[in-house]
Amino acid sequence: MYTYARRVRESGGGNPEQDAAATLGVHVARTRLVLLCVTALLTAVLVGSAGAIGFVGLVLPHAARALTGPGHTRLLPASALAGAVFLVWVDTLARTLLDPQEVPVGVMTSLIGVPAFVLVLYRGRDTR
């Protein structure tokens, strides 16, 4: 993914600047397809191995983008920090909510993550 970072910046990340990227020698359609496939594969592996906790990685970058803007240099560290803080809070809540029993962290992340993801989907649909 990092090898394609320059190409994504040059292509404007899907903005109307695609013609400029093409004139710079970036094959925009192929770059998009490769990044889409790599992202889908990484997401499948993450959710398949980590379960519902990996779902956090699908929702929190959207929240971090609202705070930092679309620039990837600030978005990536903000997403990592937001995910870490969120999971610490959810883990603490899962351990203390029904003390002495423990609620699985995946259940707690799903209870919070699913409504947030639906909200992100509806907001994305309204802007189109």
Side-chain angles (χ1 to χ4, degrees):
M1 300 268 306
Y2 286 112
T3 59
Y4 281 93
R6 189 182 109 247
R7 293 180 186 168
V8 170
R9 275 196 307 273
E10 290 171 353
S11 68
N15 291 335
E17 300 163 348
Q18 294 174 8
D19 294 335
T23 59
L24 290 171
V26 175
H27 192 275
V28 177
R30 184 176 61 205
T31 302
R32 251 197 211 146
L33 181 64
V34 167
L35 287 175
L36 179 66
C37 291
V38 169
T39 303
L41 181 65
L42 286 174
T43 302
V45 168
L46 172 74
V47 174
S49 64
I53 293 174
F55 190 67
V56 172
L58 298 174
V59 175
L60 284 178
H62 293 285
R65 180 169 303 192
L67 296 173
T68 64
H72 287 46
T73 55
R74 286 179 283 159
L75 179 61
L76 186 62
S79 296
L81 182 63
V85 169
F86 176 76
L87 282 178
V88 167
W89 285 347
V90 169
D91 184 51
T92 302
L93 184 64
R95 291 174 188 260
T96 59
L97 189 63
L98 297 176
D99 196 36
Q101 294 179 349
E102 190 173 315
V103 179
V105 176
V107 171
M108 296 300 293
T109 57
S110 295
L111 288 174
I112 298 168
V114 169
F117 190 64
V118 169
L119 181 67
V120 167
L121 284 176
Y122 280 121
R123 282 189 179 173
R125 185 179 293 181
D126 290 341
T127 59
R128 291 181 190 169

